[in-house]
Amino acid sequence: MAERSTAAVDVADNGGDEPLTAKAGKATTDGAAESQTTKSPAADSLSPAQKETPDTDGEKQGGEPSYSTPELHSGHKLARRYRLEECVTRLDGFSSWRAVDEKLRRAVGVHILPSDHPRARSVLAAARSSALLGDPRFVQVLDAVEENDLVYVVHEWLPDAVELTALLASGPFEPHDAYQLVDQVSQAMAAAHREGLAHLRLTPGAVLRTSTGQYRIRGLAVNAALRGISADGPQRTDTEAIGALLYAALTQRWPYENDAYGLTGLPKGVGLVAPDQVRAGVHRGLSELAMRALINDGATASRQEPPCTTPDELAKAVAAMPRIRPPEPSFTAPPEYQRSTYQPISHGRPAARPGSPLAAQAAPTPPPPLQTRSGKALKWAVSALLIAALGLGSWQIADKLLDDRNTTDEPKTSETAAPGGTGDVPKAPVPLAIQGAQEYAPDGRPQNAAKVGASYDDDTASDWRTGYFVEGPELVPSVKEGVGIVYDLGSEKEISGASIALRYVGNHTTMTLYAVDSLSPSGSVNSMERIATGQTNGSNLTLTAQKATKSRFVLLWMTAMPFSPRDGYNGAGHKQGIADVKFTG
């Protein structure tokens, strides 16, 4: 059941027509199809944008036929590779399964529907379009195939992720967590809409949070195609859905009258109330942002800022907000030291009982130090050694003075000094081991925090990559102040330079090394101590310091990056990747 909640396969239960808990008992695993009603009891919980398009889930409306779900069972194999394990949804002619990819030995999710289903063509097209996006912020479509009268879509299974539905059940979010949610989801959906892809079913069940704190969106284009959903304004629909997610995160309430996704709706007849009026202590800026994203009769919470009608506008509004810092960690004071009641133990003689002769007899007093026979011998030996050392030292001093007097008038030869003013040979650079690293994102928008370790793992085949930016190559000031990683050398070391292996070439890449105070540096980049800076058009960059600088933590900061075409990781734009970093001292 823990995996089912995070598998990115449960399309019907996350549809938004009922709370997730209400339909949990309806998902079948034995192959029996569920009966459907013609009207959802929670239809009023849908947003106005979602109500514009009727939800044609194959229900019998006006004599339309319903479609039978393919009769499959646990253990059935697709393409001699995907073994079905558990059916988690069976609805309206399609079913969703947890399966195993026996070729790569990993869990996957599979949607299956008959090839003669009227939505089969649109599901295939949506799945293939979503797969081409290749954005890691979305649950990836791995395969989309028509075979043996079946159409099936294979996608990632994320056992370590948690649905937003489960996170909201435990209470409202802290301001920093809510900020991260709206920031990451709006940026991801803005990137999808730039490629012509919409979600249209962006509910709490469609958003997952991984163990690293990154949000992943599942069912891009595919969920809507499976349910036969379309919209006249897809960007407005997805923007309002993001606003509803933010509203729920701030208040633990659903922003419509009916209950949905395990959340209580707003009181009937009061309309859409701003989050900071529903719950005390809500961040004012985030409250206004949620109201700007939601449809509110053309108005906003303050009636001063224009509404956000596209995910891109919402992402820019989030970026324009003052950064919300995470709460300070609370440290528990260690318990006070308890002095032990140590009792000396006498060895070699029995313990004396009270009243016995042994108890009355006092232990013999040990002699004073160095008053024994061996102690006296030791004193004489030390005295003799001191006298001999003083005599030898006096003789060496006198001999030295006589030599200096005899050589006063002799000409002296001088050695040629090295260019630095000393006769020492310059030291060879010493490699410095990296003990850890963390992405540095002062604007609260990390690029790829989960892959930082790939930038220093001695394997150039793996790397840490940035997102892609339309403007460039300079990031400052139009895009952001820069992107970078802070590396931990384990202890304070002398840093003389670095060599960086890069993923992309072209235009120019500009990088600078700074000495910083921790993995999460305080202050602005301009206030940090600069070690070295450099620029390259190739795939390698060597940075050399004018003088060695001592620090435990080093920030590698990138302020310009080349333009590269679309690849399997992200779209065309200004981007860069770090394949390997080596520091020298």
Side-chain angles (χ1 to χ4, degrees), residues 174-394:
E174 292 290 334
H176 177 263
D177 294 331
Y179 174 84
Q180 289 295 322
L181 168 68
V182 67
D183 183 41
Q184 294 184 35
V185 173
S186 61
Q187 285 194 58
M189 289 309 305
H193 278 281
R194 283 194 292 268
E195 299 297 328
L197 293 173
H199 197 291
L200 305 184
R201 300 298 297 176
L202 195 56
T203 66
V207 179
L208 310 172
R209 188 170 72 180
T210 66
S211 56
T212 60
Q214 304 299 306
Y215 287 94
R216 303 282 299 275
I217 301 173
R218 64 186 179 188
L220 177 66
V222 177
N223 278 14
L226 283 167
R227 299 176 64 86
I229 297 173
S230 62
D232 294 334
Q235 295 210 48
R236 187 67 189 92
T237 300
D238 284 343
T239 304
E240 186 190 0
I242 300 172
L245 297 179
L246 176 58
Y247 194 104
L250 295 172
T251 64
Q252 203 185 12
R253 299 284 293 266
W254 193 238
Y256 305 105
E257 291 186 349
N258 284 62
D259 301 347
Y261 313 107
L263 301 173
T264 304
L266 298 178
K268 297 185 181 297
V270 301
L272 185 58
V273 183
D276 56 357
Q277 297 177 12
V278 173
R279 174 178 164 266
V282 172
H283 190 277
R284 179 68 181 274
L286 292 175
S287 175
E288 292 184 355
L289 195 66
M291 296 299 285
R292 291 176 63 186
L294 289 166
I295 293 179
N296 188 23
D297 296 329
T300 63
S302 62
R303 298 183 181 271
Q304 295 177 356
E305 297 290 341
C308 299
T309 58
T310 67
D312 187 60
E313 290 179 359
L314 183 58
K316 290 179 179 177
V318 175
M321 289 180 57
R323 183 186 177 191
I324 301 177
R325 295 186 176 274
E328 293 293 333
S330 58
F331 296 99
T332 304
E336 293 185 0
Y337 174 72
Q338 300 293 330
R339 186 177 297 277
S340 62
T341 57
Y342 170 75
Q343 298 294 336
I345 301 174
S346 60
H347 298 280
R349 59 185 298 172
R353 294 190 300 272
S356 66
L358 289 177
Q361 182 181 356
T365 304
L370 300 180
Q371 294 301 316
T372 61
R373 179 179 297 177
S374 59
K376 292 178 179 179
L378 179 61
K379 284 197 300 183
W380 283 110
V382 171
S383 300
L385 288 173
L386 288 173
I387 293 171
L390 288 172
L392 180 62
S394 301

Side-chain angles (χ1 to χ4, degrees), residues 97-109:
W97 294 74
R98 176 174 60 84
V100 174
D101 182 350
E102 295 186 335
K103 184 176 180 179
L104 298 179
R105 297 182 181 180
R106 63 180 178 180
V108 294

Side-chain angles (χ1 to χ4, degrees), residues 70-82:
E71 291 298 330
L72 301 172
H73 56 82
S74 299
H76 183 89
K77 283 188 182 180
L78 300 173
R80 298 182 181 179
R81 175 176 178 178
Y82 304 111

